[in-house]
Amino acid sequence: MQANSVSLSAEAIGASLDHLLLHLADIPPLLRTEIEPEASTIRSQLKKAVPNSTIVQESGRTIRSVLEGAVGGALGNTMSPGLAQALAAFSAALGMG
């Protein structure tokens, strides 16, 4: 039962990460270079039989912080509602509400 619960969480995190990254196609390259390694870390963890939730959450927090900082700056004026929703869904999947 526990393994099934972890698997569903991993699937939800992976799906929300993919959805978020689709909305980041037009972000500045500097932001992408900050986000991509964290996304890779999350994907690597999700491939494990038992992902390290601390690593996944910390990488997720980094992604969220980078994007929130960008939203507060120049990207905020051009951010689509879809990106905001994708970021909220990603945060929720990681338990960061």
Side-chain angles (χ1 to χ4, degrees):
M1 188 78 123
Q2 181 66 22
N4 192 14
S5 175
V6 170
S7 176
L8 291 176
S9 294
E11 288 175 19
I13 292 167
S16 65
L17 177 62
D18 290 343
H19 184 69
L20 177 63
L21 294 176
L22 284 175
H23 285 280
L24 300 179
D26 297 326
I27 65 169
L30 180 61
L31 288 178
R32 186 166 288 285
T33 61
E34 290 185 49
I35 291 170
E36 285 177 346
E38 302 300 333
S40 293
T41 297
I42 292 171
R43 285 191 178 118
S44 294
Q45 284 295 316
L46 295 180
K47 289 178 184 175
K48 292 181 162 186
V50 180
N52 184 319
S53 61
T54 302
I55 293 173
V56 171
Q57 286 185 320
E58 287 304 314
S59 290
R61 280 188 186 96
T62 300
I63 291 171
R64 185 172 75 176
S65 294
V66 168
L67 289 175
E68 286 175 346
V71 167
L75 186 60
N77 296 331
T78 61
M79 185 175 85
S80 72
L83 175 56
Q85 291 170 353
L87 181 57
F90 175 66
S91 295
L94 291 171
M96 299 186 305

